């Protein structure tokens, strides 16, 4: 039986556990037949279940749950509030050979609040992003973006988790309203449509449905449905997106907890994305043709491509 919790904030340790590390946080619960090596660092309120191995070069943050049958090998950094399901596997050597140690192990990071499902495999050098979800049995070979939900072998993005702890971001479409306000100042705008026997025409004018004077345009097409585009914010540039054919989804994020998934599935709807809104495009249909109008000419310095840098910039505003 485990030792009872004590008022002095001491960890709870099962008598069969081998705990060699002196760095065990307050109220950590360590269950049967677990082995924690001397160099490992364990945070507060951690829950480590039966038959878990934690090597030396492993850091585990606060409020992390590690379910049974998991081996945490050298080179693994686990941030706060991470969940690791039973029998998840972490690889730190992509070319293992019996009796031969790698010169260095790949560094793998599980960012705050992410979840790794049962029997998932995470290859070395991979980062699983903030609040991302790795489905059961997935094989993760590349970095997982913040909030992304990935499944399969190799793992592909199938959705995005909301900033809440459960569920997915609500999908937003526009029906009758001419303008619908979203997060971060973004707007869905119903464009004008004219149709007769010759076909249909959709238009927008600057100062009416088009919120800026375009300085650049580009189209995105031929994207495999599993592929993700965007994943950045702009410092000063406005964008206006219209899906001329097919459909795609856009995740918009204001960096302050506001997050929505927008479906662009008809050419008479435009999405205005103002500066300092993080945007990601995915779920492209095979016939999707996305038109993007930009308020400025291309400037690499206007992009913020790292989500942590985006959050830091928003915190300073």
């Amino acid at each position: 039986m485990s030792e009872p919790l004590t008022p002095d904030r001491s960890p709870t340790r099962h008598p069969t556990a081998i705990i060699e590390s002196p760095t065990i946080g307050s109220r950590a619960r360590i269950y049967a037949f677990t082995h924690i090596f001397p160099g490992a660092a364990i945070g507060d309120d951690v829950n480590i279940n039966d038959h878990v191995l934690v090597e030396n070069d492993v850091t585990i943050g606060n409020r992390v749950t590690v379910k049974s049958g998991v081996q945490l090998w050298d080179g693994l950094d686990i941030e706060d509030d991470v969940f690791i399901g039973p029998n998840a596997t972490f690889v730190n050597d992509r070319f293992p050979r019996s009796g031969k140690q790698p010169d260095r192990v790949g560094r793998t990071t599980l960012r705050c609040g992410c979840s790794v499902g049962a029997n998932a495999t995470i290859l070395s050098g991979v980062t699983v992003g903030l609040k991302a979800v790795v489905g059961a049995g997935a094989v993760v070979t590349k970095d997982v973006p913040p909030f992304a939900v990935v499944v399969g072998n190799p793992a592909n993005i199938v959705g995005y988790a909301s900033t809440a702890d459960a569920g997915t971001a609500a999908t937003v479409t526009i029906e009758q309203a001419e303008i619908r306000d979203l997060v971060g100042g973004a707007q869905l705008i119903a464009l004008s449509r004219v149709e007769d026997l010759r076909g249909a025409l959709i238009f927008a004018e600057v100062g009416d449905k088009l919120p800026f004077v375009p300085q650049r345009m580009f189209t995105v097409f031929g994207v495999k449905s599993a592929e993700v585009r965007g994943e950045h914010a702009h410092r000063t540039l406005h964008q206006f997106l219209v899906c001329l054919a097919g459909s795609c989804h856009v995740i918009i994020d204001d960096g302050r907890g506001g997050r929505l998934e927008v479906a662009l599935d008809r050419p008479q709807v435009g999405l205005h994305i103002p500066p300092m809104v993080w945007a990601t495009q995915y779920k492209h249909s095979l016939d999707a043709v996305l038109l993007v109008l930009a308020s400025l000419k291309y400037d690499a310095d206007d992009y913020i491509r790292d989500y942590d840098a985006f959050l830091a910039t928003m915190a300073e505003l």
Side-chain angles (χ1 to χ4, degrees):
M1 296 178 61
S2 299
E3 301 171 12
L5 288 172
T6 57
D8 63 358
R9 298 162 57 89
S10 298
T12 302
R13 310 182 184 196
H14 193 278
T16 63
I18 302 173
I19 303 175
E20 300 177 279
S21 171
T23 311
I24 307 294
S26 299
R27 299 175 302 276
R29 297 180 299 279
I30 301 170
Y31 290 91
F33 306 107
T34 287
H35 188 174
I36 300 178
F37 283 38
I42 312 296
D44 297 338
D45 299 295
V46 168
N47 185 6
I48 299 180
N49 281 239
D50 294 359
H51 299 279
V52 172
L53 182 144
V54 184
E55 275 199 312
N56 286 295
D57 187 15
V58 176
T59 60
I60 299 177
N62 301 321
R63 300 173 301 279
V64 171
T65 295
V66 183
K67 302 301 282 186
S68 298
V70 175
Q71 295 84 47
L72 304 177
W73 306 109
D74 286 341
L76 184 57
D77 297 313
I78 303 170
E79 297 184 357
D80 296 345
D81 301 299
V82 169
F83 173 86
I84 301 174
N87 301 303
T89 298
F90 296 89
V91 176
N92 67 356
D93 184 357
R94 295 201 180 198
F95 302 98
R97 290 287 187 266
S98 178
K100 181 179 179 181
Q101 296 295 321
D103 295 332
R104 65 180 183 85
V105 297
R107 202 87 211 160
T108 301
T109 302
L110 306 184
R111 297 298 312 279
C112 290
C114 73
S115 296
V116 177
N119 297 299
T121 299
I122 314 293
L123 295 192
S124 64
V126 163
T127 294
V128 179
L130 177 74
K131 295 199 175 203
V133 178
V134 176
V139 178
V140 179
T141 61
K142 299 178 181 178
D143 289 352
V144 179
F147 302 101
V149 179
V150 299
V151 300
N153 179 9
N156 286 312
I157 297 172
V158 296
Y160 279 81
S162 70
T163 50
D165 289 335
T168 57
T171 301
V172 176
T173 59
I174 190 166
E175 298 298 338
Q176 296 179 342
E178 289 192 357
I179 297 178
R180 180 167 180 179
D181 293 326
L182 306 176
V183 300
Q187 292 181 319
L188 270 177
I189 301 174
L191 305 178
S192 300
R193 178 185 177 109
V194 177
E195 188 169 359
D196 60 22
L197 293 175
R198 298 169 296 175
L201 181 148
I202 293 170
F203 67 93
E205 295 181 345
V206 175
D208 181 14
K209 301 297 180 64
L210 190 57
F212 55 85
V213 178
Q215 299 296 314
R216 179 166 58 104
M217 66 80 65
F218 58 92
T219 56
V220 179
F221 58 93
V223 180
K224 295 180 181 179
S225 183
E227 298 299 321
V228 175
R229 297 189 62 89
E231 289 192 302
H232 60 253
H234 287 279
R235 300 181 188 276
T236 59
L237 178 141
H238 292 252
Q239 289 184 307
F240 193 73
L241 281 60
V242 180
C243 200
L244 301 177
S247 64
C248 71
H249 287 216
V250 183
I251 307 293
I252 52 174
D253 183 335
D254 66 4
R256 294 190 168 98
R259 187 176 180 82
L260 284 174
E261 180 169 335
V262 181
L264 296 180
D265 56 5
R266 67 200 77 174
Q268 67 196 71
V269 175
L271 174 61
H272 172 217
I273 304 176
M276 296 310 296
V277 172
W278 187 269
T280 301
Q281 303 142 29
Y282 82 118
K283 280 189 180 178
H284 297 78
S285 65
L286 293 178
D287 60 343
V289 178
L290 182 66
L291 170 69
V292 182
L293 303 178
S295 64
L296 299 171
K297 295 181 180 180
Y298 177 78
D299 178 4
D301 293 335
D302 192 65
Y303 286 76
I304 303 176
R305 299 187 183 276
D306 180 81
Y307 188 73
D308 287 336
F310 168 68
L311 294 180
T313 302
M314 291 301 298
E316 295 173 355
L317 295 179

